[in-house]
Amino acid sequence: MLKRLRTDFRLSIITILGTSALLGITPFAIMRFLQGNHVAGAIDTTIMLTILGGMVYAWITGDTRRSGMLLAVIACSGAVVVAMVVGEVGLFWLYPCLVTAFFLVSPRAATFLNLSSIGAIVLHGDAFQDDVQKWTFMATALVVSATAFAFAQRTDNQRERLEHLATIDPLTGVKNRRSMDEELDLAAAHAERTGIPYALVMLDIDHFKKVNDEYGHGVGDEVLVDLVMLIQQSTRKSDELFRFGGEEFVLLLPGVDGAGLVAVMNNLQHILRKKMTHPGGPITVSVGVALLRHGESVSDWLERADEALYKAKETGRDRVVFSDAMPGADTVPPSANPELTT
């Protein structure tokens, strides 16, 4: 629970809003019912229950975007209605809503909600004692909204940068292992729901340590960058490439199996064998491929692909090894036939 709050900013804001609604609005709702102001009490209760419902929905589904929009609309419109019903004292409820909106929805949507809320209260006018109070409220509300907008923009930019640093390999620009774990979980869940095949490809540069030792890590880095560029140029936009560690990469291929997968791998290996070079000559790559089986865990899927890669290394390198028998997989390296394991 605490981990989700630390890692999901919008969920933490939704939780704070829900808790504040419970602790802050409940006493006023009770007080207004006791005072005989049943309309205001009912409004407070409705706002509180709706906010709590949105918070529960966000926790259960993880859909913080829809729940955030719902809570922002309910909070702002509820504050407007309260101000219209109870008068001047109700104006204070709008200020926290003006700030919170920028952390629940996009800046454009929050700006629209804030301006609409301020405009509705000002046009209604009954909550103010005189024009001076009305224009003072409008000015302070706009200042609060502008300040919240600037702070939210800065926070979003910093959060996006941190997320980028945490999920992207700085050398090659592809997603790192942390991102890979999340994407493989999503792929496995999607495959279970839809039946779409997914192939996992593990690639390892042959004798990479020798390249680093003889020509330096600068050359080694260039080889890694070239490999990534060639793979990205030779695969679809829907295919995802990850740096698994060192000179090892993982390629996730949705929607391919059988002869189609064999053709994709043959084409990729042909391109890499033809274009991968360094000062000492050509560079080769060993590849292990595993199709996701029905009901298989991600760890078992990865393990089978890794075992296929290990066999490719053990049987001479510069080859593709399929963890599952593939029809038509009889053409790979010029020096040896592809190895098939079951």
Side-chain angles (χ1 to χ4, degrees):
M1 178 177 178
L2 291 177
K3 182 180 179 181
R4 287 186 67 185
L5 289 175
R6 287 195 299 266
T7 57
D8 193 329
F9 178 75
R10 187 176 278 119
L11 180 62
S12 66
I13 295 296
I14 290 172
T15 303
I16 291 172
L17 182 60
T19 304
S20 300
L22 180 63
L23 299 177
I25 301 177
T26 302
F28 287 93
I30 295 173
M31 178 188 70
R32 282 163 182 157
F33 279 121
L34 292 176
Q35 292 175 343
N37 191 348
H38 298 294
V39 174
I43 293 172
D44 287 342
T45 302
T46 302
I47 294 172
M48 179 188 66
L49 293 177
T50 305
I51 291 176
L52 287 176
M55 182 182 72
V56 172
Y57 173 81
W59 272 98
I60 293 175
T61 66
D63 185 1
T64 57
R65 192 167 299 277
R66 285 194 182 92
S67 54
M69 177 60 75
L70 171 66
L71 294 186
V73 171
I74 292 298
C76 289
S77 58
V80 171
V81 173
V82 168
M84 292 178 178
V85 172
V86 304
E88 182 182 355
V89 295
L91 295 173
F92 297 102
W93 287 106
L94 184 62
Y95 287 100
C97 298
L98 296 177
V99 175
T100 306
F102 282 102
F103 298 98
L104 292 173
V105 296
S106 67
R108 179 179 297 180
T111 300
F112 175 78
L113 281 174
N114 284 13
L115 293 178
S116 299
S117 300
I118 296 169
I121 292 178
V122 170
L123 290 175
H124 185 263
D126 291 348
F128 307 103
Q129 295 180 357
D130 50 42
D131 287 342
V132 173
Q133 189 182 53
K134 178 192 296 186
W135 298 119
T136 301
F137 163 78
M138 186 173 70
T140 55
L142 290 174
V143 169
V144 168
S145 297
T147 304
F149 174 83
F151 182 76
Q153 283 282 85
R154 182 175 179 83
T155 301
D156 283 344
N157 291 338
Q158 291 176 337
R159 188 169 66 253
E160 289 175 3
R161 184 175 181 182
L162 288 174
E163 289 176 353
H164 184 273
L165 292 173
T167 57
I168 301 297
D169 174 54
L171 174 63
T172 60
V174 298
K175 294 180 180 180
N176 60 18
R177 185 166 181 172
R178 177 181 176 182
S179 294
M180 184 195 77
D181 292 337
E182 296 175 357
E183 293 295 336
L184 293 188
D185 286 336
L186 291 174
H190 187 254
E192 284 296 307
R193 291 195 309 269
T194 64
I196 294 176
Y198 278 85
L200 191 63
V201 181
M202 299 191 75
L203 307 96
D204 189 279
I205 300 174
D206 297 326
H207 305 295
F208 185 71
K209 184 178 183 301
K210 185 177 179 181
V211 174
N212 279 332
D213 291 343
E214 292 186 2
Y215 300 98
H217 289 278
V219 172
D221 289 347
E222 291 177 4
V223 170
L224 294 174
V225 172
D226 288 344
L227 174 64
V228 167
M229 181 185 65
L230 289 172
I231 293 174
Q232 290 178 328
Q233 289 176 348
S234 307
T235 53
R236 304 165 300 177
K237 289 184 178 180
S238 58
D239 301 331
E240 296 191 77
L241 181 64
F242 310 92
R243 189 176 181 184
F244 192 62
E247 70 275 20
E248 198 168 353
F249 292 83
V250 169
L251 183 61
L252 179 63
L253 304 175
V256 291
D257 60 359
L261 178 58
V262 173
V264 169
M265 297 316 304
N266 286 346
N267 178 66
L268 179 60
Q269 191 182 43
H270 172 74
I271 292 172
L272 296 180
R273 188 184 290 126
K274 179 180 179 181
K275 297 185 178 181
M276 284 287 293
T277 62
H278 76 301
I283 293 285
T284 60
V285 176
S286 296
V287 182
V289 186
L291 276 171
L292 178 63
R293 295 170 178 171
H294 177 69
E296 184 177 33
S297 67
V298 170
S299 59
D300 289 342
W301 187 22
L302 269 170
E303 184 177 353
R304 289 195 299 111
D306 189 54
E307 289 173 354
L309 174 61
Y310 178 79
K311 186 164 186 178
K313 290 284 190 181
E314 288 293 300
T315 54
R317 295 184 170 84
D318 186 23
R319 66 191 61 207
V320 176
V321 171
F322 294 88
S323 179
D324 306 274
M326 293 288 165
D330 55 359
T331 57
V332 183
S335 57
N337 291 323
E339 300 291 338
L340 302 180
T341 63
T342 57

